Protein backbone atom coordinates (compact mmCIF):
# COMPACT_ATOMS: atom_id res chain seq x y z
CA UNK A 1 0.00 0.00 0.00
CA UNK A 2 1.38 3.35 -1.02
CA UNK A 3 2.11 5.84 1.76
CA UNK A 4 0.50 9.27 1.50
CA UNK A 5 2.63 12.38 2.06
CA UNK A 6 1.42 15.43 3.91
CA UNK A 7 2.09 19.16 4.08
CA UNK A 8 1.07 20.70 7.40
CA UNK A 9 1.08 24.27 8.78
CA UNK A 10 3.29 24.62 11.86
CA UNK A 11 2.48 28.10 13.16
CA UNK A 12 -0.78 30.13 13.01
CA UNK A 13 -1.50 29.50 9.33
CA UNK A 14 -0.36 31.38 6.20
CA UNK A 15 3.07 29.78 6.35
CA UNK A 16 3.17 29.29 2.58
CA UNK A 17 1.50 25.88 2.26
CA UNK A 18 -0.02 26.76 -1.13
CA UNK A 19 3.36 27.54 -2.68
CA UNK A 20 4.94 24.27 -1.52
CA UNK A 21 1.93 22.12 -2.44
CA UNK A 22 1.96 23.67 -5.92
CA UNK A 23 5.71 23.15 -6.20
CA UNK A 24 5.45 19.50 -5.11
CA UNK A 25 2.19 18.81 -6.98
CA UNK A 26 4.14 18.49 -10.20
CA UNK A 27 5.29 15.11 -8.81
CA UNK A 28 1.93 13.90 -7.45
CA UNK A 29 -1.10 12.23 -9.05
CA UNK A 30 -3.55 13.40 -6.41
CA UNK A 31 -3.77 16.35 -3.98
CA UNK A 32 -6.31 16.34 -1.13
CA UNK A 33 -7.78 18.83 1.34
CA UNK A 34 -8.92 17.24 4.59
CA UNK A 35 -10.15 19.99 6.94
CA UNK A 36 -11.25 23.60 7.26
CA UNK A 37 -13.14 25.47 4.61
CA UNK A 38 -12.93 28.77 2.78
CA UNK A 39 -11.32 30.33 5.86
CA UNK A 40 -8.13 29.03 4.23
CA UNK A 41 -6.39 31.22 1.67
CA UNK A 42 -3.52 29.63 -0.23
CA UNK A 43 -1.61 31.86 -2.63
CA UNK A 44 0.39 30.60 -5.56
CA UNK A 45 2.51 32.60 -7.98
CA UNK A 46 3.45 31.05 -11.30
CA UNK A 47 5.32 33.16 -13.88
CA UNK A 48 4.07 36.39 -12.32
CA UNK A 49 0.39 35.30 -12.19
CA UNK A 50 -1.26 35.09 -8.77
CA UNK A 51 -3.83 32.43 -7.85
CA UNK A 52 -5.73 32.56 -4.53
CA UNK A 53 -7.32 29.27 -3.52
CA UNK A 54 -9.67 28.73 -0.59
CA UNK A 55 -11.34 25.35 -1.06
CA UNK A 56 -9.83 23.95 -4.24
CA UNK A 57 -6.57 22.09 -3.50
CA UNK A 58 -3.39 23.76 -4.71
CA UNK A 59 -2.70 20.81 -7.01
CA UNK A 60 -5.15 22.29 -9.49
CA UNK A 61 -2.40 24.14 -11.37
CA UNK A 62 -0.83 20.82 -12.26
CA UNK A 63 -2.98 19.65 -15.20
CA UNK A 64 -2.24 16.00 -14.42
CA UNK A 65 -3.23 15.95 -10.75
CA UNK A 66 -6.65 14.88 -9.46
CA UNK A 67 -7.85 17.11 -6.60
CA UNK A 68 -10.03 15.82 -3.76
CA UNK A 69 -11.95 17.73 -1.10
CA UNK A 70 -12.39 15.29 1.77
CA UNK A 71 -15.19 14.56 4.23
CA UNK A 72 -13.53 16.66 6.95
CA UNK A 73 -13.97 19.89 5.01
CA UNK A 74 -16.88 22.28 5.60
CA UNK A 75 -17.90 23.23 2.10
CA UNK A 76 -19.61 26.44 1.13
CA UNK A 77 -21.27 25.63 -2.24
CA UNK A 78 -21.45 29.35 -3.02
CA UNK A 79 -17.74 29.88 -2.35
CA UNK A 80 -16.56 26.87 -4.31
CA UNK A 81 -18.74 27.69 -7.32
CA UNK A 82 -17.18 31.18 -7.42
CA UNK A 83 -13.70 29.73 -7.05
CA UNK A 84 -14.28 27.15 -9.79
CA UNK A 85 -15.07 29.93 -12.27
CA UNK A 86 -11.36 30.87 -12.60
CA UNK A 87 -10.51 27.41 -14.03
CA UNK A 88 -11.56 25.54 -17.15
CA UNK A 89 -12.08 21.80 -17.58
CA UNK A 90 -12.41 20.91 -13.92
CA UNK A 91 -14.56 17.85 -14.65
CA UNK A 92 -12.63 14.70 -13.83
CA UNK A 93 -9.96 16.77 -12.01
CA UNK A 94 -11.90 17.93 -8.96
CA UNK A 95 -14.01 15.79 -6.61
CA UNK A 96 -15.91 16.73 -3.44
CA UNK A 97 -16.72 14.18 -0.75
CA UNK A 98 -20.42 13.39 -0.41
CA UNK A 99 -19.74 13.36 3.36
CA UNK A 100 -18.28 16.88 3.56
CA UNK A 101 -20.57 19.18 5.52
CA UNK A 102 -22.50 21.99 3.89
CA UNK A 103 -21.48 25.42 5.10
CA UNK A 104 -24.55 27.54 4.30
CA UNK A 105 -25.19 31.29 4.45
CA UNK A 106 -26.77 31.13 7.90
CA UNK A 107 -23.56 29.67 9.34
CA UNK A 108 -21.69 32.77 8.30
CA UNK A 109 -24.46 35.02 9.69
CA UNK A 110 -24.19 33.26 13.08
CA UNK A 111 -20.37 33.47 12.98
CA UNK A 112 -20.34 37.22 12.33
CA UNK A 113 -23.12 38.05 14.81
CA UNK A 114 -21.47 36.02 17.60
CA UNK A 115 -18.16 37.75 16.99
CA UNK A 116 -19.88 41.12 17.25
CA UNK A 117 -21.56 40.12 20.50
CA UNK A 118 -18.23 38.99 21.98
CA UNK A 119 -16.83 42.52 21.57
CA UNK A 120 -13.22 42.71 22.75
CA UNK A 121 -13.25 38.95 23.43
CA UNK A 122 -13.90 38.19 19.75
CA UNK A 123 -11.77 35.44 18.24
CA UNK A 124 -11.24 37.42 15.07
CA UNK A 125 -12.65 34.66 12.86
CA UNK A 126 -12.73 34.94 9.11
CA UNK A 127 -16.54 35.23 9.34
CA UNK A 128 -16.93 32.32 6.93
CA UNK A 129 -19.24 30.27 9.16
CA UNK A 130 -16.60 27.65 9.99
CA UNK A 131 -17.30 27.35 13.74
CA UNK A 132 -21.12 27.26 13.43
CA UNK A 133 -20.92 24.69 10.62
CA UNK A 134 -18.64 22.35 12.58
CA UNK A 135 -20.90 22.93 15.63
CA UNK A 136 -23.90 21.64 13.61
CA UNK A 137 -21.85 18.65 12.48
CA UNK A 138 -20.86 17.74 16.04
CA UNK A 139 -24.42 18.38 17.29
CA UNK A 140 -25.60 15.96 14.59
CA UNK A 141 -27.89 18.44 12.90
CA UNK A 142 -25.59 19.22 9.97
CA UNK A 143 -26.26 18.51 6.30
CA UNK A 144 -23.83 16.83 3.93
CA UNK A 145 -22.82 17.53 0.35
CA UNK A 146 -24.33 14.23 -0.87
CA UNK A 147 -27.74 15.49 0.21
CA UNK A 148 -27.62 18.19 -2.48
CA UNK A 149 -28.85 15.48 -4.86
CA UNK A 150 -32.38 15.88 -3.42
CA UNK A 151 -32.89 19.63 -2.87
CA UNK A 152 -36.53 19.41 -1.68
CA UNK A 153 -35.70 16.85 0.99
CA UNK A 154 -32.60 18.82 1.98
CA UNK A 155 -34.62 22.04 2.33
CA UNK A 156 -36.97 20.30 4.77
CA UNK A 157 -33.99 18.98 6.72
CA UNK A 158 -32.36 22.41 6.91
CA UNK A 159 -35.56 23.94 8.26
CA UNK A 160 -35.78 21.15 10.86
CA UNK A 161 -32.22 22.05 11.93
CA UNK A 162 -33.05 25.77 11.98
CA UNK A 163 -35.62 25.09 14.72
CA UNK A 164 -32.67 24.41 17.03
CA UNK A 165 -31.20 27.78 16.10
CA UNK A 166 -34.40 29.78 16.63
CA UNK A 167 -33.27 31.12 20.02
CA UNK A 168 -29.79 31.91 18.70
CA UNK A 169 -31.24 33.71 15.68
CA UNK A 170 -33.49 35.82 17.91
CA UNK A 171 -30.65 36.66 20.30
CA UNK A 172 -28.33 37.60 17.46
CA UNK A 173 -30.98 39.48 15.48
CA UNK A 174 -30.70 37.21 12.43
CA UNK A 175 -33.73 36.68 10.22
CA UNK A 176 -34.79 33.15 9.31
CA UNK A 177 -34.21 32.53 5.60
CA UNK A 178 -37.12 32.11 3.25
CA UNK A 179 -37.86 28.47 2.30
CA UNK A 180 -38.36 29.15 -1.43
CA UNK A 181 -35.07 31.08 -1.62
CA UNK A 182 -33.22 28.24 0.10
CA UNK A 183 -34.74 25.66 -2.27
CA UNK A 184 -33.83 27.63 -5.38
CA UNK A 185 -30.28 28.14 -4.07
CA UNK A 186 -29.90 24.43 -3.39
CA UNK A 187 -31.20 23.59 -6.90
CA UNK A 188 -28.52 25.87 -8.36
CA UNK A 189 -25.83 24.24 -6.20
CA UNK A 190 -27.04 20.81 -7.31
CA UNK A 191 -26.82 21.76 -11.01
CA UNK A 192 -23.34 23.22 -10.69
CA UNK A 193 -21.79 20.68 -8.32
CA UNK A 194 -23.49 17.35 -9.02
CA UNK A 195 -20.79 16.14 -11.41
CA UNK A 196 -18.09 16.76 -8.81
CA UNK A 197 -19.64 14.90 -5.86
CA UNK A 198 -18.06 11.50 -5.13
CA UNK A 199 -17.10 9.00 -2.48
CA UNK A 200 -13.61 10.43 -2.14
CA UNK A 201 -12.48 7.86 0.43
CA UNK A 202 -13.07 5.03 -2.06
CA UNK A 203 -11.24 7.07 -4.72
CA UNK A 204 -8.30 7.55 -2.38
CA UNK A 205 -8.09 3.90 -1.44
CA UNK A 206 -8.20 2.88 -5.11
CA UNK A 207 -5.47 5.36 -6.00
CA UNK A 208 -3.42 4.13 -3.04
CA UNK A 209 -3.82 0.49 -4.13
CA UNK A 210 -2.78 1.42 -7.67
CA UNK A 211 0.46 2.92 -6.32
CA UNK A 212 -0.47 6.51 -7.21
CA UNK A 213 1.46 9.36 -5.53
CA UNK A 214 -0.84 11.23 -3.16
CA UNK A 215 -0.28 14.48 -1.23
CA UNK A 216 -2.43 15.97 1.53
CA UNK A 217 -2.59 19.77 1.71
CA UNK A 218 -3.05 20.91 5.30
CA UNK A 219 -5.08 24.03 6.00
CA UNK A 220 -4.63 26.56 8.81
CA UNK A 221 -1.78 25.80 11.24
CA UNK A 222 -1.00 23.66 14.27
CA UNK A 223 -1.32 26.55 16.73
CA UNK A 224 -4.91 27.03 15.46
CA UNK A 225 -5.82 23.38 16.16
CA UNK A 226 -9.03 23.05 18.20
CA UNK A 227 -7.32 20.73 20.73
CA UNK A 228 -3.66 21.67 20.64
CA UNK A 229 -3.73 25.34 19.66
CA UNK A 230 -4.26 28.51 21.68
CA UNK A 231 -7.87 27.68 22.65
CA UNK A 232 -10.33 29.40 22.39
CA UNK A 233 -8.46 31.55 19.84
CA UNK A 234 -8.33 28.74 17.31
CA UNK A 235 -10.28 27.42 14.36
CA UNK A 236 -12.87 24.66 14.79
CA UNK A 237 -11.03 21.70 13.27
CA UNK A 238 -8.05 19.47 13.98
CA UNK A 239 -5.40 20.99 11.78
CA UNK A 240 -2.67 18.52 12.79
CA UNK A 241 -1.64 15.50 10.70
CA UNK A 242 -3.91 13.14 12.65
CA UNK A 243 -6.90 15.31 11.69
CA UNK A 244 -6.14 14.65 8.04
CA UNK A 245 -6.60 10.90 8.48
CA UNK A 246 -10.08 11.47 9.86
CA UNK A 247 -10.86 14.13 7.28
CA UNK A 248 -10.14 11.82 4.39
CA UNK A 249 -10.87 8.31 5.69
CA UNK A 250 -7.27 7.16 5.97
CA UNK A 251 -5.70 5.01 8.61
CA UNK A 252 -2.77 6.61 10.50
CA UNK A 253 -0.60 3.86 9.01
CA UNK A 254 -1.12 5.45 5.57
CA UNK A 255 0.84 8.59 6.36
CA UNK A 256 4.26 8.82 4.73
CA UNK A 257 6.57 11.81 4.52
CA UNK A 258 5.36 14.70 6.70
CA UNK A 259 6.67 18.15 5.82
CA UNK A 260 5.90 20.97 8.23
CA UNK A 261 5.58 24.38 6.61
CA UNK A 262 7.14 27.07 8.73
CA UNK A 263 7.81 30.76 8.15
CA UNK A 264 11.32 32.01 8.91
CA UNK A 265 9.59 34.47 11.27
CA UNK A 266 6.05 34.27 12.61
CA UNK A 267 2.63 35.75 11.87
CA UNK A 268 -0.88 35.49 13.20
CA UNK A 269 -4.23 36.93 12.02
CA UNK A 270 -7.01 37.46 14.52
CA UNK A 271 -6.75 37.52 18.31
CA UNK A 272 -4.98 35.30 20.81
CA UNK A 273 -1.57 34.66 22.32
CA UNK A 274 1.53 35.37 20.24
CA UNK A 275 4.52 35.46 22.62
CA UNK A 276 7.13 36.55 20.06
CA UNK A 277 5.01 39.30 18.46
CA UNK A 278 7.06 42.41 17.65
CA UNK A 279 5.20 45.68 18.11
CA UNK A 280 8.05 47.84 16.85
CA UNK A 281 9.64 48.69 13.54
CA UNK A 282 10.98 45.13 13.00
CA UNK A 283 7.44 43.72 13.05
CA UNK A 284 6.29 46.51 10.71
CA UNK A 285 9.16 45.74 8.34
CA UNK A 286 8.26 42.02 8.24
CA UNK A 287 4.63 42.93 7.49
CA UNK A 288 5.61 45.33 4.73
CA UNK A 289 8.31 43.25 3.03
CA UNK A 290 6.38 39.99 3.51
CA UNK A 291 3.11 41.55 2.25
CA UNK A 292 1.47 40.18 5.37
CA UNK A 293 -2.15 40.77 4.54
CA UNK A 294 -4.67 37.90 4.71
CA UNK A 295 -5.48 36.07 1.46
CA UNK A 296 -9.06 35.49 2.64
CA UNK A 297 -9.99 38.62 4.58
CA UNK A 298 -7.30 41.15 3.60
CA UNK A 299 -6.61 41.78 7.30
CA UNK A 300 -3.11 42.85 8.35
CA UNK A 301 -1.25 39.95 9.90
CA UNK A 302 0.50 40.44 13.26
CA UNK A 303 4.25 39.77 12.87
CA UNK A 304 7.06 38.66 15.14
CA UNK A 305 10.15 36.54 15.61
CA UNK A 306 10.61 32.83 14.99
CA UNK A 307 9.28 30.97 18.02
CA UNK A 308 11.35 27.79 18.33
CA UNK A 309 9.40 26.58 21.38
CA UNK A 310 6.01 26.41 19.67
CA UNK A 311 7.58 25.16 16.43
CA UNK A 312 9.29 22.27 18.24
CA UNK A 313 5.95 21.43 19.91
CA UNK A 314 4.17 21.50 16.55
CA UNK A 315 6.83 19.34 14.92
CA UNK A 316 6.27 16.65 17.55
CA UNK A 317 2.47 16.89 17.35
CA UNK A 318 2.57 16.34 13.60
CA UNK A 319 5.46 13.87 13.42
CA UNK A 320 7.36 16.08 11.00
CA UNK A 321 10.13 14.39 9.04
CA UNK A 322 11.37 17.79 7.94
CA UNK A 323 10.43 21.43 7.50
CA UNK A 324 10.03 23.71 4.51
CA UNK A 325 11.39 27.05 5.75
CA UNK A 326 9.46 29.81 4.01
CA UNK A 327 9.98 33.50 3.31
CA UNK A 328 13.65 33.56 4.32
CA UNK A 329 14.05 36.50 1.89
CA UNK A 330 11.74 38.64 4.04
CA UNK A 331 14.51 38.73 6.66
CA UNK A 332 17.03 40.11 4.13
CA UNK A 333 18.71 43.29 5.36
CA UNK A 334 17.99 42.90 9.10
CA UNK A 335 21.15 43.66 11.05
CA UNK A 336 20.17 41.39 13.94
CA UNK A 337 17.56 38.63 14.15
CA UNK A 338 15.92 37.21 17.22
CA UNK A 339 14.75 33.65 17.89
CA UNK A 340 12.51 32.84 20.84
CA UNK A 341 14.36 29.92 22.48
CA UNK A 342 12.37 29.56 25.72
CA UNK A 343 9.48 31.09 27.66
CA UNK A 344 9.42 32.70 31.07
CA UNK A 345 6.43 31.29 32.89
CA UNK A 346 5.52 31.62 36.55
CA UNK A 347 9.01 32.94 37.36
CA UNK A 348 10.67 29.94 35.66
CA UNK A 349 12.29 29.35 32.28
CA UNK A 350 10.44 26.64 30.33
CA UNK A 351 10.93 25.04 26.92
CA UNK A 352 7.42 23.70 26.34
CA UNK A 353 4.00 25.14 25.42
CA UNK A 354 1.85 25.49 28.53
CA UNK A 355 -1.97 25.33 28.50
CA UNK A 356 -2.28 29.12 28.54
CA UNK A 357 0.27 30.67 26.21
CA UNK A 358 -1.09 34.12 27.10
CA UNK A 359 0.89 34.00 30.36
CA UNK A 360 4.40 33.51 28.95
CA UNK A 361 7.14 35.97 28.03
CA UNK A 362 9.65 35.20 25.27
CA UNK A 363 13.33 34.55 26.00
CA UNK A 364 15.35 35.55 22.95
CA UNK A 365 18.68 34.65 21.42
CA UNK A 366 20.18 37.09 18.92
CA UNK A 367 21.81 36.15 15.62
CA UNK A 368 23.54 38.20 12.94
CA UNK A 369 21.52 39.05 9.84
CA UNK A 370 22.49 38.83 6.16
CA UNK A 371 22.30 40.93 3.08
CA UNK A 372 20.26 39.05 0.47
CA UNK A 373 18.88 35.61 -0.21
CA UNK A 374 15.87 36.61 -2.33
CA UNK A 375 15.56 34.36 -5.38
CA UNK A 376 18.49 32.10 -4.39
CA UNK A 377 17.95 28.57 -5.74
CA UNK A 378 21.04 26.71 -4.47
CA UNK A 379 21.91 26.13 -0.82
CA UNK A 380 25.60 26.87 -1.51
CA UNK A 381 24.63 30.36 -2.70
CA UNK A 382 22.95 31.38 0.57
CA UNK A 383 24.83 33.88 2.76
CA UNK A 384 26.77 32.27 5.62
CA UNK A 385 24.60 33.95 8.29
CA UNK A 386 21.42 32.63 6.64
CA UNK A 387 22.90 29.13 6.81
CA UNK A 388 23.74 29.70 10.50
CA UNK A 389 20.14 30.86 11.12
CA UNK A 390 18.78 27.68 9.49
CA UNK A 391 21.19 25.49 11.46
CA UNK A 392 20.10 27.10 14.74
CA UNK A 393 16.43 26.52 13.86
CA UNK A 394 17.19 22.86 13.17
CA UNK A 395 18.99 22.49 16.51
CA UNK A 396 16.28 24.19 18.53
CA UNK A 397 13.33 22.43 16.88
CA UNK A 398 15.08 19.07 16.43
CA UNK A 399 13.80 19.00 12.88
CA UNK A 400 15.73 19.02 9.62
CA UNK A 401 15.04 21.77 7.06
CA UNK A 402 14.62 20.03 3.69
CA UNK A 403 13.21 22.91 1.64
CA UNK A 404 13.94 26.64 1.75
CA UNK A 405 11.79 29.19 -0.03
CA UNK A 406 13.30 32.48 -1.17
CA UNK A 407 10.40 34.16 -3.04
CA UNK A 408 6.71 33.54 -3.80
CA UNK A 409 7.56 32.04 -7.20
CA UNK A 410 7.25 28.26 -7.65
CA UNK A 411 10.86 27.70 -8.72
CA UNK A 412 12.56 29.88 -6.09
CA UNK A 413 12.81 26.90 -3.78
CA UNK A 414 15.98 25.23 -2.49
CA UNK A 415 16.02 21.47 -1.92
CA UNK A 416 18.61 20.09 0.55
P1 LIG B 1 -0.82 29.48 3.08
O1 LIG B 1 -2.15 29.82 3.64
O2 LIG B 1 0.02 28.71 4.05
O3 LIG B 1 -0.88 28.82 1.74
O4 LIG B 1 -0.05 30.86 2.88
P2 LIG B 1 -0.67 32.22 2.23
O5 LIG B 1 -0.77 32.02 0.78
O6 LIG B 1 -1.88 32.63 2.96
O7 LIG B 1 0.45 33.26 2.64
C1 LIG B 1 1.78 33.10 2.26
C2 LIG B 1 2.18 34.32 1.42
O8 LIG B 1 3.58 34.34 1.28
C3 LIG B 1 1.64 34.28 -0.01
O9 LIG B 1 1.36 35.59 -0.40
C4 LIG B 1 2.77 33.69 -0.81
O10 LIG B 1 2.77 34.11 -2.18
C5 LIG B 1 3.96 34.28 -0.09
N1 LIG B 1 5.17 33.45 -0.12
C6 LIG B 1 5.30 32.11 -0.06
N2 LIG B 1 6.59 31.76 -0.01
C7 LIG B 1 7.30 32.89 -0.03
C8 LIG B 1 8.69 33.19 0.05
O11 LIG B 1 9.55 32.33 0.17
N3 LIG B 1 9.05 34.51 0.01
C9 LIG B 1 8.13 35.51 -0.08
N4 LIG B 1 8.56 36.76 -0.10
N5 LIG B 1 6.82 35.27 -0.15
C10 LIG B 1 6.41 33.98 -0.10
P1 LIG C 1 -4.58 29.11 5.88
O1 LIG C 1 -5.00 27.72 5.41
C1 LIG C 1 -4.45 32.06 9.08
C2 LIG C 1 -7.73 32.01 11.96
C3 LIG C 1 -8.63 33.25 11.95
C4 LIG C 1 -9.01 33.30 13.42
C5 LIG C 1 -9.17 31.82 13.79
C6 LIG C 1 -10.60 31.30 13.72
O2 LIG C 1 -4.64 30.15 4.84
O3 LIG C 1 -3.30 29.04 6.61
P2 LIG C 1 -12.21 30.70 11.69
O4 LIG C 1 -12.77 31.57 10.60
O5 LIG C 1 -11.42 29.55 11.21
O6 LIG C 1 -13.25 30.30 12.69
O7 LIG C 1 -11.19 31.68 12.48
O8 LIG C 1 -8.38 31.11 12.84
N1 LIG C 1 -7.58 31.33 10.66
C7 LIG C 1 -6.50 31.44 9.89
N2 LIG C 1 -5.39 32.19 10.04
N3 LIG C 1 -4.57 31.22 8.04
C8 LIG C 1 -5.66 30.44 7.88
O9 LIG C 1 -5.75 29.50 6.91
C9 LIG C 1 -6.71 30.56 8.81
N4 LIG C 1 -7.92 29.99 8.95
C10 LIG C 1 -8.43 30.46 10.08
O10 LIG C 1 -7.91 34.38 11.55
O11 LIG C 1 -7.96 33.81 14.19
MG1 LIG D 1 -3.35 31.51 4.00
Amino acid sequence: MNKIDIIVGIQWGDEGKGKIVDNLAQKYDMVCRAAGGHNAGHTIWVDGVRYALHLIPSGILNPKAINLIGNGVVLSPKAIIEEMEQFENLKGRLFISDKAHLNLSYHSLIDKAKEKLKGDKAIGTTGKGIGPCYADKISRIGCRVGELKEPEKLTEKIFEALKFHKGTFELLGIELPNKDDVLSELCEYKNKLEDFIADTTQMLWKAQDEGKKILIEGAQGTMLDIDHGTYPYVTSSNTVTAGSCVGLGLSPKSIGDTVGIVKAYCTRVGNGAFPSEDFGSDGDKMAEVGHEFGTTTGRKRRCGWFDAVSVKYASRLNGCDSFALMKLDVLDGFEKLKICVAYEFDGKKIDYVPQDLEQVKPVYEELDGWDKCEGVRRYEDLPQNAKAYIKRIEELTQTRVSLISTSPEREDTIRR
Side-chain angles (χ1 to χ4, degrees):
M1 191 177 58
N2 230 17
K3 294 274 188 193
I4 294 178
D5 299 336
I6 180 160
I7 288 297
V8 62
I10 290 299
Q11 292 146 319
W12 280 280
D14 302 327
E15 298 91 348
K17 297 175 290 292
K19 161 166 172 171
I20 291 299
V21 171
D22 168 68
N23 177 289
L24 297 179
Q26 316 306 314
K27 289 193 302 193
Y28 283 87
D29 303 303
M30 200 175 247
V31 180
C32 316
R33 270 283 300 273
H38 62 310
N39 49 347
H42 298 179
T43 321
I44 299 163
W45 285 88
V46 188
D47 298 332
V49 181
R50 178 181 185 268
Y51 300 86
L53 299 170
H54 303 282
L55 280 159
I56 298 179
S58 302
I60 206 70
L61 299 174
N62 166 13
K64 291 199 307 280
I66 304 271
N67 292 269
L68 299 191
I69 298 178
N71 55 277
V73 168
V74 284
L75 186 106
S76 157
K78 190 168 181 283
I80 196 158
I81 288 167
E82 268 172 37
E83 202 174 322
M84 285 163 75
E85 279 163 8
Q86 61 182 314
F87 300 104
E88 285 170 5
N89 308 323
L90 285 178
K91 280 194 191 147
R93 291 215 299 132
L94 176 68
F95 295 92
I96 306 165
S97 167
D98 51 4
K99 290 188 197 149
H101 272 251
L102 285 170
N103 180 358
L104 300 166
S105 350
Y106 70 87
H107 291 121
S108 155
L109 294 178
I110 297 175
D111 190 1
K112 289 179 190 154
K114 277 194 170 166
E115 282 284 278
K116 206 166 151 199
L117 204 66
K118 282 184 184 158
D120 62 3
K121 297 206 171 51
I123 290 163
T125 72
T126 57
K128 305 291 183 189
I130 307 299
C133 186
Y134 276 119
D136 276 3
K137 173 178 172 177
I138 302 302
S139 309
R140 291 160 295 178
I141 56 166
C143 299
R144 310 212 276 190
V145 168
E147 294 175 79
L148 275 178
K149 289 185 176 165
E150 293 181 276
E152 286 85 5
K153 206 166 147 194
L154 179 56
T155 307
E156 290 307 322
K157 194 175 161 192
I158 290 171
F159 276 79
E160 272 301 305
L162 283 175
K163 279 189 199 159
F164 296 98
H165 289 305
K166 199 163 170 275
T168 313
F169 272 43
E170 275 167 18
L171 176 76
L172 299 174
I174 305 172
E175 266 181 48
L176 262 183
N178 170 300
K179 226 176 191 180
D180 290 338
D181 293 347
V182 170
L183 178 59
S184 75
E185 247 180 71
L186 294 177
C187 288
E188 188 205 330
Y189 298 158
K190 177 189 165 170
N191 286 340
K192 298 208 164 133
L193 297 179
E194 202 167 28
D195 291 347
F196 298 92
I197 302 174
D199 183 334
T200 50
T201 301
Q202 291 297 330
M203 289 182 70
L204 251 177
W205 289 356
K206 186 164 177 286
Q208 214 181 356
D209 292 344
E210 287 170 356
K212 295 267 173 19
K213 285 207 71 175
I214 305 168
L215 181 67
I216 300 173
E217 172 175 5
Q220 287 76 54
T222 301
M223 298 308 286
L224 289 170
D225 183 278
I226 184 82
D227 284 277
H228 302 288
T230 46
Y231 192 88
Y233 297 97
V234 291
T235 190
S236 296
S237 62
N238 283 116
T239 59
V240 292
T241 315
S244 293
C245 293
V246 179
L248 284 162
L250 292 171
S251 98
K253 288 180 187 157
S254 305
I255 300 299
D257 194 32
T258 302
V259 180
I261 311 297
V262 60
K263 249 179 224 184
Y265 49 103
C266 192
T267 64
R268 172 163 204 172
V269 214
N271 302 323
F274 181 178
S276 61
E277 183 167 11
D278 187 284
F279 299 96
S281 57
D282 288 335
D284 286 345
K285 189 173 164 191
M286 290 171 199
E288 196 192 319
V289 179
H291 302 290
E292 296 295 357
F293 293 90
T295 312
T296 300
T297 57
R299 288 178 293 176
K300 186 168 184 275
R301 296 173 183 152
R302 299 155 62 193
C303 292
W305 302 105
F306 188 90
D307 179 351
V309 184
S310 66
V311 169
K312 183 175 144 196
Y313 164 77
S315 179
R316 178 83 193 248
L317 278 171
N318 290 294
C320 289
D321 294 297
S322 68
F323 284 151
L325 188 68
M326 311 301 293
K327 304 189 92 163
L328 193 64
D329 55 294
V330 174
L331 299 180
D332 285 359
F334 277 84
E335 204 172 309
K336 292 278 178 195
L337 297 166
K338 288 197 267 189
I339 296 182
C340 169
V341 293
Y343 298 141
E344 215 180 274
F345 177 60
D346 232 1
K348 289 191 225 80
K349 205 166 141 184
I350 58 164
D351 65 352
Y352 62 89
V353 174
Q355 190 268 125
D356 186 0
L357 201 56
E358 206 75 69
Q359 305 304 323
V360 309
K361 285 204 181 80
V363 176
Y364 288 117
E365 186 176 296
E366 220 172 52
L367 281 86
D368 290 327
W370 56 84
D371 189 21
K372 188 168 181 271
C373 66
E374 188 193 355
V376 170
R377 293 186 180 185
R378 291 181 346 150
Y379 183 71
E380 307 82 88
D381 296 339
L382 282 177
Q384 211 48 46
N385 286 347
K387 288 182 189 163
Y389 186 73
I390 296 166
K391 184 161 171 272
R392 191 67 186 122
I393 284 176
E394 290 184 318
E395 283 164 3
L396 289 165
T397 62
Q398 294 169 11
T399 312
R400 186 173 65 91
V401 171
S402 61
L403 293 167
I404 300 154
S405 173
T406 57
S407 101
E409 278 286 335
R410 185 189 272 171
E411 300 306 330
D412 288 340
T413 312
I414 300 170
R415 234 163 272 272
R416 282 168 96 203

